[in-house]
């Protein structure tokens, strides 16, 4: 009889830990998803900044090229 009670208590404790473990895994999964969602705009923002910088450099190169072509055409 005492062994049955001890087994039931052990089973309840194991069951409690199993539930706790499942809840913790779900919370961890949710946190990972939130982190991924937070990282995505950061990546997009960095890409946008790099794209803007490249566009500015291209515009500067175009202006330099036009100025150089004008200077060369006036000398010829």
């Amino acid at each position: 009889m005492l062994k049955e009670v001890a087994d039931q208590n052990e089973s309840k404790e194991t069951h409690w830990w199993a539930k706790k473990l499942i809840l913790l895994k779900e919370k961890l999964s949710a946190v990972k998803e939130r982190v991924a969602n937070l990282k995505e705009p950061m990546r997009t923002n960095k890409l946008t900044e790099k794209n803007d910088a490249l566009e500015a450099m291209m515009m500067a190169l175009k202006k330099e090229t036009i100025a150089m072509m004008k200077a060369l055409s006036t000398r010829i």
Side-chain angles (χ1 to χ4, degrees):
M1 178 92 169
L2 288 176
K3 185 176 181 177
E4 289 175 8
V5 171
D7 287 344
Q8 286 177 352
N9 285 340
E10 186 176 316
S11 176
K12 287 179 184 177
E13 286 179 22
T14 303
H15 186 66
W16 180 82
W17 279 104
K19 282 184 177 181
K20 182 91 170 170
L21 182 62
I22 290 169
L23 289 173
L24 288 174
K25 284 182 179 181
E26 288 173 356
K27 285 182 182 180
L28 179 60
S29 179
V31 168
K32 284 182 179 180
E33 187 175 327
R34 287 181 187 164
V35 168
N37 289 339
L38 288 172
K39 283 184 178 180
E40 188 59 35
M42 293 171 102
R43 284 188 198 124
T44 303
N45 190 27
K46 286 180 183 178
L47 290 174
T48 301
E49 288 174 7
K50 288 181 180 180
N51 189 38
D52 291 346
L54 284 172
E55 284 181 14
M57 291 188 328
M58 288 298 294
M59 291 299 292
L61 266 173
K62 284 181 182 179
K63 287 179 183 178
E64 286 179 32
T65 304
I66 290 170
M68 188 75 92
M69 302 246 325
K70 283 182 183 178
L72 288 173
S73 68
T74 56
R75 290 187 185 170
I76 295 177

